[in-house]
C-alpha cells in the first residue's frame, strides 16, 4: 500500500536516471538476475531447518490450527516482503541495507535498533544452522558405530566447514556457481525424505494428532509454533538480498519472492505437513531420527542435508560478513587481494568461533528458531515496513491505508511480545534440565 512514487518500478528507473546514490560496500551490487535470486531464496528456505519444522510448527498446533497458521503467516510474510521490496528506492537513494533505510527515515537511533535486531537474528540463525549440520553429521555417525561421538565435536566440525565456505565464497553474488549443486542436493533429500515419510505414514496405524499438555503450556507452545512458521518464510534481510538484483530491482525482487512463496513454500510446507502426517504429535525435533528406511537412505538424507546447509547458511550470514568486510577491507582492492584475504580470515574466524562456542554450550534446536522468529523477525518483517510507509506518505495517504498500517504495527507489537515470552520460557525450561556434555 505504499505510494506509487516509491512503490513502482518506474520510480526506481527515474531515480537511476537522475543518478541515485548507493552506500559504499565491499560486496557486489546490481549484478544478479531475478531468476538467480529467486533460486537462491528457494534453496535457502528449503535448508536443513525443514527437518525440524514438523515438530516445531505442526505438533504444537494440530491439523486445523497448524494448516491455518501455515497459510496465514505465509501470506502475511509474502505481503510484508512485497511491501518492503517497494521501498528500495527513496528520494534518489538506493538502500542496500535494512538499517540504512530505517536510519534514513527515522534517524540514527532507529539505525542502531535495526542493526541490533538484524544481526541478532542472523547470529542466532547461524547458530541454528551449525546445530542442524552437527545433528546431520552425528546421525551419519550413529549409523556406523554403537558409541557415537558427542554432539559438541560435530558442532565444531560443522562450524569449521561453514567458515571455509564463507571465506572462499565471500558474497551473495559469488554463490551463483554453487546454486545448481545446492538445488540438486535439496531435491535429493526432499524426494528421499518424502518417499520414506509416505511409506512410514501408511504403515503407522496408531498416529496421535492430539495436542498434549496443560492449557497454559499449549498457549506458549502455539506461540512458539507461530514464530517458527515466520522463520521458515522470511529472513529479515530482504534489502541486502535485493541489493544484488539487476535493474529493474523492485520488479525483479518481487518476481523472486513469487518464486519463493510458490515453488519454495510448496517444498518446505510439504515436508513439514508430511512429517506430521506420518508420525503425529510424537514427531521428532529432527525428522531423520524417525525414519524407518534402510541405512543408505538415512545416510543419504543426512549427508545431502548437511552439504546443502553449507550453501544455505551463507545466505543468512552474508549481511554480517558484508558489514565487517566493508569496515575492515580495502574497498579499492579486490576481494581476493592478500590484504583483504587476511582481514577476511580473522573476521570470519571471529564470527564462527563465537557461534561455535555458544552453540556447543546451548544445543537446543527449537529454541534458536523460536527466539529469533519472535524477538527480531516480527518487527523486521511486519512492523518496520508499515512504519516507513506511514512516515513517508504522511497525511497524503488515504484513511484506510493509515488504519491498515497502524493495525499491522499494533498487532505485530503484541505478537512480538507474546512470542518472545514463549521463546524465553522454553529456553529457561531447557536450560534447567540440560546437562552439559550430555550424549545427545
Amino acid at each position: 500500500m505504499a505510494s506509487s512514487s516509491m512503490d513502482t518500478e518506474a520510480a526506481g528507473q527515474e531515480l537511476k536516471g537522475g543518478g541515485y546514490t548507493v552506500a559504499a560496500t565491499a560486496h557486489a551490487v546490481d549484478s544478479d538476475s531475478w531468476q538467480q535470486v529467486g533460486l537462491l531464496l528457494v534453496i535457502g528456505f528449503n535448508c536443513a531447518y525443514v527437518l525440524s519444522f514438523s515438530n516445531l510448527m505442526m505438533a504444537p498446533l494440530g491439523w486445523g490450527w497448524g494448516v491455518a497458521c501455515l497459510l496465514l503467516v505465509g501470506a502475511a510474510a509474502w505481503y510484508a516482503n512485497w511491501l518492503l521490496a517497494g521501498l528500495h528506492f527513496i528520494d534518489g537513494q538506493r538502500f542496500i541495507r535494512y538499517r540504512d533505510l530505517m536510519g534514513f527515515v527515522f534517524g540514527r537511533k532507529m539505525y542502531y535498533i535495526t542493526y541490533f535486531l538484524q544481526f541478532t537474528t542472523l547470529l542466532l540463525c547461524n547458530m541454528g544452522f551449525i546445530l542442524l549440520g552437527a545433528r546431520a553429521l552425528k546421525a551419519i555417525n550413529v549409523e556406523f558405530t554403537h558409541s557415537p561421538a558427542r554432539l559438541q565435536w560435530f558442532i565444531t566440525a560443522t562450524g569449521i566447514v561453514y567458515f571455509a565456505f564463507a571465506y572462499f565464497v565471500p558474497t551473495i553474488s559469488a554463490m551463483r556457481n554453487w546454486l545448481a549443486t545446492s538445488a540438486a542436493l535439496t531435491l535429493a533429500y526432499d524426494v528421499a525424505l518424502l518417499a520414506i515419510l509416505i511409506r512410514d505414514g501408511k504403515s503407522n496405524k496408531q498416529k496421535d494428532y492430539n495436542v498434549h499438555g496443560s492449557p497454559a503450556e499449549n498457549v506458549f507452545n502455539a506461540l512458539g509454533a507461530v514464530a517458527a512458521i515466520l522463520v521458515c518464510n522470511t529472513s529479515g534481510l530482504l534489502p541486502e538480498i535485493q541489493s544484488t538484483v539487476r535493474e529493474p530491482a523492485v520488479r525483479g525482487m518481487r518476481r523472486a519472492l513469487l518464486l519463493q512463496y510458490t515453488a519454495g513454500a510448496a517444498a518446505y510446507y510439504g515436508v513439514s505437513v508430511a512429517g506430521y502426517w506420518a508420525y503425529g504429535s510424537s514427531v521428532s525435533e529432527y525428522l531423520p531420527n524417525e525414519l524407518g528406511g534402510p541405512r543408505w537412505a538415512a545416510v543419504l538424507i543426512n549427508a545431502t542435508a548437511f552439504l546443502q546447509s553449507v550453501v544455505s547458511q551463507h545466505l543468512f550470514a552474508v549481511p554480517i560478513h558484508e558489514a565487517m568486510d566493508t569496515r575492515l577491507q580495502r574497498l579499492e582492492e579486490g576481494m581476493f587481494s592478500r590484504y583483504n584475504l587476511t582481514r577476511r580470515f580473522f573476521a570470519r574466524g571471529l564470527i564462527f568461533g563465537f557461534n561455535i562456542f555458544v552453540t556447543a554450550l546451548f544445543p537446543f534446536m527449537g529454541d534458536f528458531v523460536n527466539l529469533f522468529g519472535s524477538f527480531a523477525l516480527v518487527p523486521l518483517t511486519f512492523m518496520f515496513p508499515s512504519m516507513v510507509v506511514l512516515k513517508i506518505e504522511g497525511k497524503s495517504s488515504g484513511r484506510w491505508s493509515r488504519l491498515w498500517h497502524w493495525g499491522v504495527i499494533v498487532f505485530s507489537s503484541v505478537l512480538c511480545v507474546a512470542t518472545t515470552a514463549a521463546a524465553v520460557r522454553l529456553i529457561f525450561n531447557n536450560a534447567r534440565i540440560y546437562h552439559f556434555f550430555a550424549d545427545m
Side-chain angles (χ1 to χ4, degrees):
M1 290 190 177
S3 66
S4 59
S5 62
M6 63 181 175
D7 191 42
T8 64
E9 191 55 31
Q13 298 279 19
E14 180 182 350
L15 292 173
K16 183 177 181 181
Y20 62 73
T21 59
V22 179
T25 177
H27 289 198
V29 174
D30 196 25
S31 60
D32 303 333
S33 67
W34 73 264
Q35 293 93 337
Q36 177 183 324
V37 174
L39 180 59
L40 182 64
L41 290 173
V42 170
I43 292 170
F45 284 94
N46 277 286
C47 58
Y49 267 116
V50 303
L51 302 178
S52 297
F53 284 152
S54 297
N55 173 272
L56 292 174
M57 301 192 309
M58 293 298 297
L61 294 169
W63 276 119
W65 281 107
V67 173
C69 286
L70 287 178
L71 297 176
L72 289 173
V73 175
W78 186 352
Y79 162 75
N81 282 297
W82 179 90
L83 181 66
L84 183 57
L87 301 172
H88 199 54
F89 298 95
I90 299 176
D91 290 348
Q93 188 164 345
R94 181 176 186 176
F95 293 95
I96 64 172
R97 306 180 187 99
Y98 205 157
R99 60 187 182 276
D100 291 340
L101 169 63
M102 296 303 293
F104 176 80
V105 177
F106 295 103
R108 205 65 180 167
K109 182 181 293 186
M110 204 65 197
Y111 172 93
Y112 287 114
I113 291 174
T114 307
Y115 200 123
F116 173 75
L117 290 176
Q118 200 175 32
F119 277 42
T120 299
T121 299
L122 299 175
L123 285 172
L124 289 172
C125 180
N126 189 254
M127 293 176 195
F129 266 109
I130 291 173
L131 183 56
L132 284 162
R135 292 270 178 163
L137 290 180
K138 180 167 182 177
I140 296 173
N141 182 238
V142 168
E143 295 293 333
F144 296 100
T145 180
H146 296 293
S147 56
R150 288 191 174 97
L151 182 64
Q152 281 77 9
W153 292 109
F154 297 108
I155 288 173
T156 302
T158 300
I160 292 173
V161 173
Y162 287 179
F163 160 78
F165 186 85
Y167 179 70
F168 291 107
V169 186
T171 69
I172 290 179
S173 295
M175 294 170 67
R176 65 170 62 92
N177 297 325
W178 297 86
L179 294 183
T181 301
S182 184
L185 292 169
T186 303
L187 185 64
Y189 75 72
D190 275 350
V191 171
L193 186 62
L194 285 171
I196 297 177
L197 289 175
I198 292 172
R199 192 200 66 173
D200 287 358
K202 289 181 177 180
S203 62
N204 184 4
K205 304 300 182 182
Q206 297 181 338
K207 290 172 282 192
D208 177 16
Y209 296 119
N210 293 318
V211 179
H212 301 284
S214 66
E217 290 175 339
N218 290 342
V219 170
F220 280 111
N221 291 337
L223 290 170
V226 171
I229 295 172
L230 181 60
V231 169
C232 87
N233 280 290
T234 190
S235 61
L237 51 92
L238 185 137
E240 286 79 1
I241 297 173
Q242 190 174 0
S243 70
T244 71
V245 180
R246 298 186 200 125
E247 292 291 348
V250 174
R251 185 187 307 161
M253 191 66 225
R254 285 176 170 170
R255 287 176 174 175
L257 289 171
L258 179 63
L259 192 62
Q260 175 197 340
Y261 286 101
T262 50
Y268 52 74
Y269 275 4
V271 170
S272 304
V273 172
Y276 183 64
W277 168 77
Y279 307 116
S281 58
S282 63
V283 62
S284 172
E285 66 174 1
Y286 185 63
L287 202 53
N289 291 342
E290 297 276 2
L291 302 181
R295 173 186 291 182
W296 68 263
V299 172
L300 172 66
I301 291 170
N302 282 291
T304 51
F306 172 79
L307 292 173
Q308 195 271 2
S309 73
V310 177
V311 179
S312 293
Q313 63 83 28
H314 191 47
L315 171 65
F316 299 98
V318 160
I320 298 177
H321 301 324
E322 187 274 335
M324 298 192 73
D325 291 346
T326 300
R327 180 173 291 274
L328 299 176
Q329 295 185 8
R330 292 173 178 168
L331 302 187
E332 68 276 9
E333 298 182 9
M335 291 294 291
F336 291 92
S337 71
R338 179 178 298 181
Y339 180 89
N340 288 344
L341 281 170
T342 303
R343 290 297 185 99
R344 186 161 71 247
F345 179 86
F346 288 107
R348 301 291 194 274
L350 177 65
I351 293 170
F352 282 100
F354 173 79
N355 286 357
I356 290 169
F357 176 74
V358 175
T359 306
L361 280 178
F362 305 106
F364 313 136
M365 180 161 302
D367 300 9
F368 287 102
V369 180
N370 291 352
L371 181 61
F372 79 76
S374 55
F375 172 69
L377 277 185
V378 171
L380 288 172
T381 302
F382 299 122
M383 190 187 308
F384 289 179
S386 287
M387 289 169 56
V388 173
V389 172
L390 285 172
K391 178 70 172 180
I392 293 177
E393 290 188 346
K395 296 182 179 180
S396 64
S397 63
R399 176 184 178 185
W400 291 112
S401 176
R402 293 197 302 272
L403 287 175
W404 167 258
H405 287 295
W406 272 115
V408 170
I409 292 169
V410 172
F411 179 79
S412 58
S413 299
V414 174
L415 182 64
C416 179
V417 172
T419 53
T420 300
V424 171
R425 173 182 176 274
L426 181 62
I427 289 174
F428 276 109
N429 285 344
N430 284 340
R432 181 170 48 84
I433 63 176
Y434 176 69
H435 299 285
F436 185 60
F437 286 129
D439 192 14
M440 298 178 63

